[in-house]
Amino acid sequence: MAREELTRLTGNGNGDCGKDDCPNVYRTASGSFIVQGSVSEAFTPPGGEALVEIPENVLREAVRALGW
C-alpha cells in the first residue's frame, strides 16, 4: 500500500520533524489505521507484528480529525 492511498489524520508538516518523518496516524480506505512512530522494544510482539511509540498529542490529534 502506498502512502498516497492513505488519509493522513495528523501532522501538517509545519513542525520540527518535517513533512513525512513525524509520528503520524493514517486511515486506510477500509477504515483501519496505520501508525507511524519510533520503533519500540517494550516487548517482543508476535511474528508479522511490530510495536511503535507515538506521542499522546499525535493520538489526540487523530481523534479530533475523526470527530470522536
Side-chain angles (χ1 to χ4, degrees):
M1 176 179 311
R3 186 185 303 216
E4 295 77 26
E5 298 175 60
L6 303 172
T7 300
R8 188 173 179 169
L9 300 175
T10 59
N12 58 15
N14 294 330
D16 295 334
C17 57
K19 184 172 169 52
D20 293 326
D21 59 353
C22 302
N24 281 299
V25 178
Y26 300 86
R27 191 164 199 184
T28 67
S30 66
S32 62
F33 299 93
I34 305 290
V35 177
Q36 174 186 344
S38 299
V39 174
S40 173
E41 304 211 3
F43 63 89
T44 303
E49 296 183 5
L51 303 176
V52 297
E53 184 173 347
I54 60 170
E56 180 181 333
N57 67 306
V58 172
L59 189 55
R60 288 179 182 273
E61 184 179 354
V63 169
R64 279 193 302 273
L66 291 166
W68 293 354

